[in-house]
């Protein structure tokens, strides 16, 4: 009786995947799994435009900046600045961008996204400094 290449669980002769850890047990199963993952990634990441989460450096930076804005917004939420930081952080996140773009039916673009986010962050910083 064969055992799993990854976890050692006993497998049936015709098992292509481990019933315990789901590791492919032969080259054909690995190929089919890779094709399935690629197909699903294209379906999920194939948004209208730039807002799709495609793993690019731009998308990763948008997530980092978005989370930074959300954290800054939550940290200063009792101040007026928190609202601006929170809005900027939420607006720049790729899933939010994809939702806005799907509503508009067209991509927003890099410059309008950067401009809006910058204006919100600057307004938040100014409100934080003033108040």
């Amino acid at each position: 009786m064969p055992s799993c290449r990854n976890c050692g669980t006993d497998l049936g002769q015709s098992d292509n995947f481990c019933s315990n850890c789901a590791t492919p047990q032969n080259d054909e199963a690995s190929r089919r799994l890779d094709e399935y993952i690629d197909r699903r990634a294209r379906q999920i990441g194939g948004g209208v435009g730039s807002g799709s989460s495609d793993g690019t450096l731009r998308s990763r930076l948008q997530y980092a900046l978005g989370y930074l804005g959300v954290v800054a917004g939550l940290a200063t939420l009792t101040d007026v600045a928190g609202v601006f930081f929170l809005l900027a952080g939420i607006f720049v996140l790729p899933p939010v961008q994809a939702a806005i773009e799907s509503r508009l039916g067209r991509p927003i673009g890099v410059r309008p996204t950067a401009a809006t986010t910058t204006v919100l962050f600057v307004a938040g910083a100014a409100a934080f400094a003033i108040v």
Side-chain angles (χ1 to χ4, degrees):
M1 177 173 267
S3 60
C4 174
R5 312 185 213 191
N6 184 47
C7 69
T9 300
D10 290 334
L11 304 171
Q13 290 293 344
S14 62
D15 289 348
N16 290 323
F17 296 91
C18 176
S19 60
N20 185 47
C21 68
T23 300
Q25 297 302 307
N26 55 48
D27 292 336
E28 176 63 19
S30 293
R31 184 189 62 76
R32 286 182 23 221
L33 179 61
D34 288 341
E35 286 176 359
Y36 174 78
I37 290 170
D38 288 342
R39 189 172 51 250
R40 290 293 296 160
R42 281 191 304 273
Q43 289 173 346
I44 292 170
V48 174
S50 61
S52 63
S53 176
D54 56 2
T56 63
L57 179 60
R58 178 170 171 254
S59 175
R60 291 177 185 195
L61 288 173
Q62 280 182 280
Y63 274 111
L65 186 60
Y67 292 140
L68 178 68
V70 168
V71 169
L74 292 175
T76 59
L77 196 56
T78 59
D79 192 22
V80 174
V83 174
F84 290 107
F85 290 140
L86 196 57
L87 286 173
I90 291 171
F91 179 74
V92 78
L93 289 171
V96 174
Q97 288 284 306
I100 293 169
E101 289 173 348
S102 70
R103 282 280 196 187
L104 293 174
R106 60 181 175 81
I108 295 174
V110 176
R111 288 191 178 129
T113 299
T116 304
T117 304
T118 301
V119 166
L120 288 168
F121 270 118
V122 168
F128 186 74
I130 292 171
V131 174

